[in-house]
Amino acid sequence: MEKYSQAEFRRYLLQGKLKKAFVYLKQFPDQKKLILQYQERFEQNKFPVPCDNEKILRILNIFYSYYHHVFWEQLEEEKAKKKLIEQFFSLFSLSLPENLDEYSSDQLDEIVKSQIDPLLQAQVESEGYHYLGGITQGFLGPYIWKSS
């Protein structure tokens, strides 16, 4: 029987092959704790709750949903960005741009950068946290922290 290799498991994760990583992991009953953790996170879509601030959690849950669409469901990046934009526009009670379905990935990034990130930064900072938005390794995401 093959022995569990953390390096192989992580290789799948780093390649964005979450389902393949999970299939690999489930071969090893001795990794039950890790299996349950990933099953909860990816199959049940339950992400860690890093704070008890409801406004911050709403923001994080929108990003968690985006990550789930991209990495677990393998939704096209543009479609995932559109869903994220729709969720944030709804959160902030904004009207969606006309013809959003026709926007390129760069145009979607610009909406996030110019319209959503400033609102997120103001919201997060009003709650006593710090915010840095943008794109990291090709994907949208926030850095939110309490103290520097």
Side-chain angles (χ1 to χ4, degrees):
M1 179 170 175
E2 184 181 4
K3 186 178 176 190
Y4 171 73
S5 165
Q6 186 179 38
E8 181 153 351
F9 177 67
R10 286 186 175 174
R11 182 173 54 87
Y12 290 130
L13 293 177
L14 291 171
Q15 293 173 348
K17 297 177 181 177
L18 299 186
K19 287 187 179 182
K20 195 166 187 171
F22 194 55
V23 166
Y24 173 78
L25 186 62
K26 289 179 7 181
Q27 297 176 66
F28 306 100
D30 61 321
Q31 298 298 315
K32 184 173 181 146
K33 183 178 177 184
L34 199 54
I35 292 168
L36 291 174
Q37 176 186 343
Y38 279 86
Q39 187 171 32
E40 188 173 271
R41 184 166 294 166
F42 298 118
E43 288 186 339
Q44 299 170 15
N45 203 15
K46 292 183 182 175
F47 288 87
V49 180
C51 69
D52 59 359
N53 183 298
E54 289 299 318
K55 290 180 181 179
I56 301 296
L57 290 175
R58 277 196 296 271
I59 291 167
L60 290 175
N61 282 330
I62 291 172
F63 279 107
Y64 288 156
S65 177
Y66 164 77
Y67 300 139
H68 192 266
H69 291 312
V70 171
F71 296 113
W72 186 254
E73 296 175 5
Q74 299 289 302
L75 189 64
E76 287 179 29
E77 176 67 12
E78 281 185 19
K79 288 181 181 178
K81 285 179 187 180
K82 288 172 189 170
K83 286 180 179 276
L84 176 128
I85 289 168
E86 289 168 356
Q87 289 178 301
F88 277 124
F89 271 60
S90 176
L91 177 69
F92 291 115
S93 300
L94 301 172
S95 297
L96 282 170
E98 289 186 32
N99 304 324
L100 185 64
D101 287 337
E102 297 172 14
Y103 280 46
S104 70
S105 186
D106 288 342
Q107 290 172 310
L108 296 171
D109 290 344
E110 185 57 33
I111 289 174
V112 172
K113 180 181 174 183
S114 66
Q115 296 180 49
I116 294 174
D117 273 345
L119 294 171
L120 290 175
Q121 183 170 2
Q123 177 84 50
V124 168
E125 289 178 356
S126 75
E127 296 298 312
Y129 290 77
H130 302 277
Y131 176 84
L132 178 63
I135 298 174
T136 303
Q137 295 186 4
F139 300 98
L140 298 169
Y143 289 96
I144 298 175
W145 68 99
K146 184 75 172 167
S147 59
S148 296

